[in-house]
Amino acid sequence: MNRHHWWRDAVIYQVYVRSFLDSTGDGVGDLAGVRAGLPYLKKLGVDGIWLSPFYPSPQHDHGYDVADYCDVDPVFGDLGEFDLLVGSAHRLNVKVLLDIVPNHCSSEHPWFREALAAPPGSPARARFHFADGRGPDGSEPPNNWHSMFGGPAWTRVTEPDGRPGQWYLHMFAPEQPDWNWRNPEIAAEFERILRFWLDRGIDGFRIDVAAGLFKHPDLPDSDDPEADARTRDSVNPLAWNQPEVHDVWRRWRSLCEEYTERDGAERLLVGEVSVPTAREHARYVRPDELHQAFFFDLLSAPWDPDAFRKVISEAMHDIAGTGSTVTWVLNNHDQVRTVTRYGEPATEGSGLGAARARAAALLMLALPGAAYIYQGEELGLPEVVDLPDDVLTDPIFRRTGSRARIRDGCRVPLPWSGQASPFGFTPGAESAKPWLPQPEYFAEYATDRALADTRSFWHLYRDGLQLRSALPQLGEGTLRWLDSPPGVLAFERGDLVCAVNFGTAPTPAPVPGTPLLASGSCPPGVLSGSTAAWWIRT
């Protein structure tokens, strides 16, 4: 791999810090736990890690409500521990990406507290979206937008004199006021924040809500105000994907290139970009903007060969056509895990969902470009769907009372070893209570068991990553679709064929060549009538 462009075909492992490994026994994962887990991640074969937010925060949305962008919340450690983590990762040749949250902050951020104490029209309030309410007494929100997490996107404040006052905008929870990026103070502050972390040696940023930041300057009513809450996606065209956002990414790209020119190590910007089409997605990864942006269409595609082929083809045409590479993802901290999403009952360790998840993993790792793996994906963890109401922490549940699309189930702490909770999540503190309860069946997915079983998800991922690193025809490049029977998807990359049977086809003829890796137990070189995938050298 070209060192200067390490990111183009990298495999990055998303670490949800709260749930990775707890070094203190308080039931919450921390940075020291991440450092202790680095040898495991190196053995798996990833090129880097992306750390979920660990900044000081009241944790209304588990760190995505940031109170201080330039420090570490004591529950996760301190800056000294962070520096040790970065140093340890780099000695293992593992890159470190930070999650940066530029669309909104915490209601406990000093600038927002200052805004609440200041009068309407003040410079402090101009850093956010404060507006007078509608109606004769201002008791109605300034517009009809709804929050992504349910309910109005506006909250009314009590002014310093005790009277009901203005409203402020929050496209997520009320504890997450949106920054006003039309105020130049915000751009200057985030440049300071980026430099703070780049100066500490990090390798780049994952950018939360990268299609956000700017709102329509007039804040008009929406034709479909509940669209964001209904779809749990950023689809309100007045609140997302405004053209001015591209100027921000050009400035951030220039800043990263300044650091690259300084020491020759390229820093990465990868955006959480949720837009309707691959063509719009491509606008974010032009040569002077973000290096990469997550392509979520594969994650959201139904289990169907035609649907998979369509989204892959569109991504290769529109996104790779910019000169960037596609950033593939099947799981993350906001989505139901593939084993469950593809049809797996949550309390069983084998079956349809698991077979499909294994096949999808091989397909993703064979595609041109970069790939992101969410912690526990390599263990085949299912979604925990039966958490009791009294332990749920997702603000979506708190605001709506509905369990639909809540995210706690994919965030349950990892099982590392043993037969009972905490399953090694809190080594040396077997009586500790993880911040979310682990089900008994997690014993079947524990890391020590996965490493010992050569048929496990973990070995499939490890072997796939090793081959991906060793075979020059994988990673960055192109693919060529092959003719295949109905229900089968096959493409060629050099002398390697990736073939996936979606489980709906009769047994096709053997695929000629030498099988290098298979997601199922079918005879070598044969695509059976059940769900499976192969890498085959022709």
Side-chain angles (χ1 to χ4, degrees):
M1 185 189 301
N2 185 324
R3 183 178 64 86
H4 192 65
H5 298 293
W6 62 268
W7 51 271
R8 294 184 65 87
D9 58 0
V11 177
I12 307 296
Y13 186 98
Q14 181 190 354
V15 176
Y16 195 70
V17 178
R18 293 181 66 85
S19 299
F20 185 72
L21 189 60
D22 169 21
S23 72
T24 64
D26 64 357
V28 178
D30 46 51
L31 295 179
V34 177
R35 182 159 60 95
L38 285 173
Y40 164 80
L41 297 176
K42 180 65 176 180
K43 187 173 183 178
L44 182 62
V46 300
D47 299 300
I49 56 174
W50 146 32
L51 301 172
S52 63
F54 51 75
Y55 314 106
S57 165
Q59 302 294 322
H60 291 290
D61 190 22
H62 290 318
Y64 287 93
D65 50 323
V66 181
D68 182 349
Y69 287 87
C70 294
D71 205 347
V72 176
D73 194 299
V75 75
F76 301 123
D78 54 28
L79 285 171
E81 181 56 53
F82 174 80
D83 292 339
L84 290 173
L85 169 58
V86 173
S88 296
H90 286 171
R91 283 190 290 275
L92 293 172
N93 197 30
V94 173
K95 307 289 187 182
V96 179
L97 307 182
L98 265 59
D99 208 323
I100 192 74
V101 189
N103 180 73
H104 50 267
C105 65
S106 166
S107 54
E108 297 299 314
H109 191 284
W111 279 10
F112 190 72
R113 294 202 302 266
E114 180 185 352
L116 291 178
S122 63
R125 290 202 173 179
R127 296 168 177 152
F128 302 91
H129 295 280
F130 278 85
D132 295 331
R134 297 193 289 194
D137 57 356
S139 61
E140 297 296 323
N143 68 27
N144 66 353
W145 296 0
H146 275 234
S147 157
M148 186 85 74
F149 289 168
W154 295 88
T155 291
R156 196 175 195 185
V157 305
T158 299
E159 299 296 351
D161 61 6
R163 292 181 299 174
Q166 288 190 306
W167 298 70
Y168 69 89
L169 180 68
H170 51 85
M171 294 307 298
F172 294 91
E175 296 86 2
Q176 295 169 290
D178 281 42
W179 293 109
N180 177 14
W181 273 83
R182 298 187 187 280
N183 184 330
E185 278 192 81
I186 307 306
E189 174 65 1
F190 272 90
E191 179 174 337
R192 181 189 74 85
I193 293 164
L194 298 185
R195 288 185 182 278
F196 176 86
W197 293 109
L198 289 169
D199 288 342
R200 300 191 91 90
I202 69 158
D203 301 288
F205 298 93
R206 177 268 185 185
I207 304 166
D208 188 59
V209 195
L213 281 60
F214 286 85
K215 280 60 179 171
H216 190 289
D218 300 326
L219 300 175
D221 278 346
S222 170
D223 293 335
D224 187 3
E226 298 185 15
D228 285 351
R230 184 178 64 252
T231 63
R232 279 284 325 283
D233 202 356
S234 50
V235 295
N236 178 356
L238 303 171
W240 315 107
N241 201 23
Q242 296 289 301
E244 297 92 336
V245 75
H246 296 282
D247 292 332
V248 175
W249 308 139
R250 292 186 184 99
R251 292 195 297 270
W252 286 26
R253 178 68 174 260
S254 178
L255 177 61
C256 285
E257 290 180 352
E258 173 190 326
Y259 278 78
T260 298
E261 291 172 4
R262 185 178 304 176
D263 59 18
E266 192 163 19
R267 274 57 168 202
L268 169 65
L269 297 174
V270 56
E272 181 195 31
V273 173
S274 183
V275 290
T277 66
R279 183 168 297 179
E280 288 180 272
H281 180 115
R283 296 182 60 218
Y284 286 81
V285 293
R286 291 175 287 195
D288 62 343
E289 294 194 37
L290 304 179
H291 299 84
Q292 292 178 323
F294 297 125
F295 184 65
F296 294 121
D297 290 27
L298 187 65
L299 181 153
S300 59
W303 185 256
D304 175 82
D306 293 334
F308 270 56
R309 179 166 178 161
K310 180 177 184 293
V311 298
I312 292 168
S313 295
E314 289 176 351
M316 293 303 300
H317 179 270
D318 293 328
I319 299 170
T322 67
S324 181
T325 55
V326 185
T327 304
W328 308 101
V329 57
L330 291 172
N331 294 270
N332 64 35
H333 65 294
D334 288 330
Q335 302 294 331
V336 174
R337 290 185 179 274
T338 48
V339 171
T340 301
R341 195 169 74 240
Y342 289 151
E344 175 65 17
T347 57
E348 298 179 13
S350 62
L352 182 62
R356 289 175 171 179
R358 290 171 64 94
L362 279 195
L363 181 144
M364 178 182 72
L365 294 176
L367 290 171
Y372 278 64
I373 298 169
Y374 176 50
Q375 67 179 40
E377 177 180 341
E378 80 283 5
L379 301 175
L381 278 182
E383 187 86 355
V384 181
V385 299
D386 56 355
L387 291 167
D389 287 356
D390 61 354
V391 305
L392 297 178
T393 62
D394 194 327
I396 297 172
F397 179 72
R398 297 200 306 269
R399 283 182 60 79
T400 67
S402 170
R403 298 176 66 98
R405 304 190 186 191
I406 59 172
R407 301 164 295 169
D408 291 291
C410 67
R411 301 176 177 185
V412 175
L414 292 184
W416 290 87
S417 61
Q419 297 299 315
S421 182
F423 296 112
F425 172 67
T426 56
E430 286 72 17
S431 62
K433 184 178 180 181
W435 70 277
L436 280 175
Q438 300 159 303
E440 292 181 4
Y441 62 80
F442 261 32
E444 299 297 320
Y445 299 91
T447 298
D448 61 349
R449 182 173 297 194
L451 268 64
D453 180 1
T454 58
R455 300 166 300 174
S456 70
F457 266 82
W458 191 89
H459 280 273
L460 181 77
Y461 272 80
R462 195 279 306 271
D463 293 347
L465 292 178
Q466 286 187 341
L467 285 169
R468 182 182 167 99
S469 178
L471 299 174
Q473 59 268 53
L474 289 177
E476 186 178 354
T478 60
L479 63 78
R480 184 174 70 88
W481 293 110
L482 299 176
D483 293 335
S484 55
V488 173
L489 193 65
F491 57 84
E492 188 176 61
R493 306 211 51 210
D495 64 349
L496 185 78
V497 170
C498 175
V500 180
N501 191 318
F502 280 69
T504 58
T507 303
V511 176
T514 303
L516 298 180
L517 189 59
S519 72
S521 58
C522 304
V526 176
L527 288 172
S528 79
S530 60
T531 300
W534 282 262
W535 289 359
I536 302 164
R537 174 167 271 161
T538 57

